[in-house]
């Protein structure tokens, strides 16, 4: 999702940059007589264009309105895409012949967060739940004490939490961890 | 550059949406037989019919357009380094570490080296750049000490140590 946003940002910024550069460059070149002095001395809005718009105003302005609405919609979508990406929150559903049981993702993520928070090395933690077809993925943002070894994070902090999650849900589980090193150490809990 | 792109995207998207909505409002207002609501387009039309391409106003508008266009192109075309580095993978977990977090951690480690006043670290997947400022007139062994502090800190955290660790020491110029 983050990658897709980066691709969209890059593409739209390049397109807008090219449009602005082309329009501004054209205006400057024409202004300084690059296309001849006749063109430079022409009015910005010549009568031909003005008359053409006036003759076609029965369809021109409705089309311009639709285009403006589409641009506004696309720009608002683009703006909305810049918000921070929320943690996944897939519920866990157990299907049975006579119905189904749903375990809310918040229950699972709160339990895993509580377990991780009790580790001395963990400063901050946020957990999201992603359900693959055959496994539960704990999407975890973890801030640990500065200098903590990656193997310690994997074996002493994450592995037990994944195992407990797997035991509790009865499904295989794994973790995708985004790790940060924290400068501030928590007080003793 | 990714953060700059996101800021540019927010500004550009907001500006574009605002401009398009204002134009839409003006078109609807004109269709209903009213005059302008927010944009004085009658004045702009008059301006465009009475000014030629050589007028100063056109150049004052065109120059910022070119500059903003170049800035957007630079942001869009510059390489964006990955913000996360994959440092561990097993059947149970995959761990990615934020480059910026590693850089701040290295800064804190280098700050403890004797003689370092300030330091700035940037981390790329295959390179670490360290800029150290010292008040010593003779930096002496500050460069190798900083270098070993960086490699030891990375090893101590179990992170890959890039072969390219560049240390630059900035010391006050010796007066004669």
């Amino acid at each position: 999702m983050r990658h897709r946003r980066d691709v969209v940002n890059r593409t739209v910024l390049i397109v807008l940059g090219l449009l602005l550069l082309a329009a501004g460059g054209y205006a400057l070149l024409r202004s300084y007589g690059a296309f001849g002095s006749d063109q430079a001395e022409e009015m910005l809005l010549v009568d031909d264009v003005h008359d053409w718009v006036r003759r076609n105003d029965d369809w021109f302005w409705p089309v311009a309105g639709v285009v403006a609405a589409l641009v506004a919609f696309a720009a608002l979508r683009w703006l909305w895409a810049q918000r921070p990406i929320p943690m996944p929150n897939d519920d866990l559903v157990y299907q049975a012949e006579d119905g189904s049981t749903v375990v809310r993702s918040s229950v699972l993520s709160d339990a895993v967060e509580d377990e991780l928070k009790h580790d001395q090395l963990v400063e901050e933690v946020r957990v999201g739940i992603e359900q693959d077809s055959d496994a539960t993925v704990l999407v975890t943002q973890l801030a640990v004490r500065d200098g903590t070894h990656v193997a310690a994070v994997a074996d002493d902090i994450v592995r037990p939490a994944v195992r407990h999650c797997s035991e509790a849900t009865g499904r295989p589980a794994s973790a995708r961890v985004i790790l940060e090193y924290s400068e501030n150490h928590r007080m003793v809990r | 550059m990714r953060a700059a792109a996101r800021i540019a995207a927010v500004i550009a998207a907001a500006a574009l949406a605002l401009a398009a909505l204002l134009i839409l409002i003006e078109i609807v207002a004109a269709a209903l037989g009213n005059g302008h609501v927010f944009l004085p387009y009658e004045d702009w039309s008059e301006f465009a019919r009475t000014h030629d391409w050589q007028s100063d106003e056109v150049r004052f508008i065109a120059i910022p357009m070119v500059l903003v266009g170049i800035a957007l192109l630079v942001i869009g075309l510059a390489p964006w380094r990955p913000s996360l580095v994959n440092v561990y993978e097993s059947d149970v977990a995959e761990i990615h570490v934020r480059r910026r977090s590693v850089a701040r951690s290295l800064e804190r480690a280098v700050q403890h080296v004797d003689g370092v006043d300030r330091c700035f670290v940037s981390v790329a997947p295959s390179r670490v750049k360290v800029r150290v400022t010292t008040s010593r007139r003779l930096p002496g062994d500050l460069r190798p000490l900083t270098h070993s502090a960086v490699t030891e800190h990375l090893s101590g955290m179990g992170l890959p140590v890039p072969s390219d660790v560049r240390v630059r020491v900035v010391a006050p110029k010796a007066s004669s």
Side-chain angles (χ1 to χ4, degrees):
Chain A
M1 195 162 174
R2 191 189 299 268
H3 177 69
R4 191 163 156 252
R5 180 173 71 192
D6 285 349
V7 171
V8 170
N9 281 355
R10 200 186 265 275
T11 307
V12 180
L13 289 176
I14 289 171
V15 170
L16 284 178
L18 282 174
L19 286 175
L20 284 171
L21 186 61
Y26 173 79
L28 278 181
L29 287 172
R30 188 163 175 177
S31 174
Y32 285 104
F35 306 126
S37 56
D38 288 353
Q39 293 234 18
E41 287 163 8
E42 247 181 19
M43 294 300 148
L44 292 171
L45 182 59
V46 292
D47 288 338
D48 288 351
V49 175
H50 189 258
D51 293 343
W52 182 86
V53 172
R54 182 157 285 182
R55 277 199 310 277
N56 296 287
D57 65 355
D58 53 335
W59 65 265
F60 179 83
W61 291 113
V63 169
V66 169
V67 170
L70 289 175
V71 169
F73 176 73
L76 288 172
R77 277 284 317 259
W78 188 33
L79 188 61
W80 179 246
Q82 307 307 315
R83 76 197 190 284
I85 296 166
M87 295 293 262
N89 57 352
D90 297 346
D91 294 336
L92 181 54
V93 182
Y94 294 94
Q95 295 287 359
E97 285 178 7
D98 52 349
S100 60
T101 305
V102 177
V103 178
R104 293 277 174 227
S105 67
S106 58
V107 175
L108 205 50
S109 59
D110 287 352
V112 178
E113 277 181 15
D114 276 349
E115 176 172 356
L116 292 174
K117 271 182 197 164
H118 280 82
D119 194 291
Q120 291 266 326
L121 295 171
V122 174
E123 305 285 338
E124 277 179 44
V125 61
R126 279 185 70 205
V127 176
I129 305 295
E130 206 174 272
Q131 299 293 352
D132 279 355
S133 55
D134 57 345
T136 301
V137 181
L138 306 175
V139 181
T140 309
Q141 291 183 358
L142 196 62
V144 295
R145 189 171 292 186
D146 196 4
T148 306
H149 199 284
V150 170
V153 174
D155 295 335
D156 302 340
I157 301 173
V158 176
R159 190 179 290 273
V162 169
R163 193 178 64 239
H164 295 152
C165 174
S166 183
E167 287 168 0
T169 58
R171 306 181 78 214
S174 66
R176 193 160 62 236
V177 181
I178 295 175
L179 185 65
E180 288 192 58
Y181 297 101
S182 178
E183 183 180 14
N184 306 314
H185 291 177
R186 269 194 306 166
M187 302 300 288
V188 176
R189 288 161 291 274
Chain B
M1 199 52 92
R2 181 178 279 101
R6 208 160 150 210
I7 294 168
V10 168
I11 295 170
L16 208 57
L18 182 66
L21 285 173
L22 287 175
I23 289 169
L24 189 59
I25 289 169
E26 296 299 344
I27 290 172
V28 172
L32 296 174
N34 299 316
H36 76 260
V37 183
F38 298 110
L39 306 177
Y41 56 83
E42 302 96 338
D43 297 346
W44 294 356
S45 172
E46 186 61 27
F47 172 88
R49 295 173 72 186
T50 54
H51 287 71
D52 60 30
W53 287 86
Q54 291 172 309
S55 64
D56 288 340
E57 290 88 342
V58 172
R59 291 170 186 169
F60 284 139
I61 295 169
I63 290 170
M65 281 172 75
V66 169
L67 294 177
V68 172
I70 290 171
L72 293 184
L73 279 177
V74 168
I75 293 171
L77 293 172
W80 296 359
R81 287 182 295 189
S83 59
L84 301 174
V85 181
N86 191 356
V87 292
Y88 181 93
E89 203 155 351
S90 74
D91 55 333
V92 172
E94 59 181 77
I95 299 179
H96 306 265
V97 64
R98 285 194 194 281
R99 273 192 314 114
R100 190 175 296 177
S101 173
V102 175
R104 296 296 90 81
S105 176
L106 286 172
E107 283 174 1
R108 291 192 284 273
V110 171
Q111 205 75 50
H112 288 114
V113 176
D114 189 31
V116 172
D117 286 343
R118 284 198 312 274
C119 77
F120 174 77
V121 178
S122 74
V123 176
S126 59
R127 182 194 301 158
V128 174
K129 277 188 189 173
V130 186
R131 185 176 184 274
V132 166
T133 308
T134 179
S135 54
R136 286 181 181 173
R137 292 197 181 283
L138 298 171
D141 55 357
L142 203 51
R143 187 193 299 264
L145 282 176
T146 304
H147 191 282
S148 60
V150 167
T151 53
E152 279 170 21
H153 193 67
L154 287 173
S155 309
M157 293 197 296
L159 299 177
V161 181
S163 56
D164 190 3
V165 178
R166 295 182 190 179
V167 179
R168 184 173 160 226
V169 179
V170 180
K173 286 180 182 165
S175 56
S176 55

